[in-house]
Amino acid sequence: MGKIYCLMGKSSTGKDSIYQQLFQREELKIKKIIPYTTRPMRQGEVQGREYIFCDEDTVERLNRENKIVELRCYDTVQGLWKYFTVDDGQIDLSKNSYLMVGTLETYLGIRNYFGKEKVCPIYIYVEDGERLIRAIGRERLQPVPQYEEMCRRFLADAKDFSEEKLREAEITTMFENQNLEETIEQVASYMKETMNQ
């Protein structure tokens, strides 16, 4: 039986870079779960690669069909954005293991839906000062930087990934991302060890 690895952490901890690099590891043989969102596409993103970008009508239809596994809403400076996972045929745990990026809410929703024994949390963390520097640097690269939204996300992360919430969710597998290559090695080793347990 396969497993779903849920990679999570606060913004600007390197989750996306780690996620992309893990797919280069042929020995892991992992598949992607592409989440859905109603937020606008950012520069460099491609439909169906980072997200499946959709509108509210699609959310309502999938909800009527009972296909939404978990859904999160964020009241951003640009309006209400939804991020969610859909049982749309992407996941077949009898054949494959999967890796996805998500929040603590994502992990809990996936775990409740598929079962605790099939879902493995991987928490990535970085010291907050370093994380803020990374976030500003990334935002500066956008054609129209959204610093207000970046700050909202940064502050929301402190609540969303509080020590209390991590304890309640029984998140114990944590990796500090001081050096990207080392962190990727550590996460890949953990996945190899746990994949057939």
Side-chain angles (χ1 to χ4, degrees), residues 81-162:
W81 291 351
K82 294 179 181 177
Y83 293 82
F84 54 107
T85 307
V86 177
D87 189 356
D88 60 358
Q90 291 185 62
I91 304 167
D92 183 351
L93 291 171
S94 68
K95 295 179 180 176
N96 302 302
S97 285
Y98 299 84
L99 177 65
M100 65 183 300
V101 176
T103 65
L104 195 54
E105 285 178 280
T106 305
Y107 164 68
L108 292 171
I110 297 286
R111 186 183 76 179
N112 291 341
Y113 190 86
F114 289 99
K116 190 175 181 180
E117 69 286 351
K118 295 177 184 172
V119 185
C120 300
I122 299 172
Y123 184 70
I124 307 296
Y125 67 97
V126 170
E127 185 272 326
D128 279 345
E130 175 62 26
R131 197 165 64 80
L132 184 56
I133 290 167
R134 291 181 187 184
I136 292 168
R138 183 173 72 180
E139 200 59 38
R140 278 187 175 146
L141 299 176
Q142 295 297 316
V144 181
Q146 301 289 331
Y147 294 112
E148 190 176 348
E149 173 57 20
M150 182 207 74
C151 290
R152 183 205 65 79
R153 262 194 335 265
F154 190 89
L155 295 172
D157 281 342
K159 293 178 184 176
D160 294 343
F161 290 104
S162 68

Side-chain angles (χ1 to χ4, degrees), residues 6-181:
C6 189
L7 188 65
M8 61 192 140
K10 296 175 181 176
S11 58
S12 300
T13 53
K15 299 184 303 292
D16 291 332
S17 297
I18 293 166
Y19 175 81
Q20 295 300 334
Q21 288 297 314
L22 288 170
F23 281 102
Q24 305 301 317
R25 302 298 186 97
E26 291 182 16
E27 73 274 16
L28 293 176
K29 297 177 182 165
I30 49 176
K31 304 286 184 188
K32 292 183 180 182
I33 298 173
I34 309 298
Y36 288 61
T37 187
T38 60
R39 79 153 166 76
M41 196 181 299
R42 293 178 184 153
Q43 183 180 16
E45 291 181 326
V46 175
Q47 174 69 290
R49 187 178 67 191
E50 292 85 6
Y51 291 97
I52 295 169
F53 295 92
C54 66
D55 58 16
E56 282 297 329
D57 289 342
T58 303
V59 178
E60 289 176 20
R61 177 180 57 78
L62 290 168
N63 193 41
R64 281 194 309 272
E65 295 170 359
N66 294 316
K67 290 186 175 180
I68 296 179
V69 175
E70 57 82 33
L71 182 143
R72 291 147 283 121
C73 297
Y74 299 99
D75 191 8
T76 76
V77 295
Q78 295 182 331
L80 190 68
W81 291 351
K82 294 179 181 177
Y83 293 82
F84 54 107
T85 307
V86 177
D87 189 356
D88 60 358
Q90 291 185 62
I91 304 167
D92 183 351
L93 291 171
S94 68
K95 295 179 180 176
N96 302 302
S97 285
Y98 299 84
L99 177 65
M100 65 183 300
V101 176
T103 65
L104 195 54
E105 285 178 280
T106 305
Y107 164 68
L108 292 171
I110 297 286
R111 186 183 76 179
N112 291 341
Y113 190 86
F114 289 99
K116 190 175 181 180
E117 69 286 351
K118 295 177 184 172
V119 185
C120 300
I122 299 172
Y123 184 70
I124 307 296
Y125 67 97
V126 170
E127 185 272 326
D128 279 345
E130 175 62 26
R131 197 165 64 80
L132 184 56
I133 290 167
R134 291 181 187 184
I136 292 168
R138 183 173 72 180
E139 200 59 38
R140 278 187 175 146
L141 299 176
Q142 295 297 316
V144 181
Q146 301 289 331
Y147 294 112
E148 190 176 348
E149 173 57 20
M150 182 207 74
C151 290
R152 183 205 65 79
R153 262 194 335 265
F154 190 89
L155 295 172
D157 281 342
K159 293 178 184 176
D160 294 343
F161 290 104
S162 68
E163 288 185 20
E164 181 182 355
K165 286 187 177 179
L166 291 171
R167 264 195 316 275
E168 286 174 1
E170 300 174 25
I171 305 296
T172 56
T173 307
M174 300 184 179
F175 301 90
E176 183 174 10
N177 185 18
Q178 289 184 328
N179 178 289
L180 184 61
E181 284 72 32

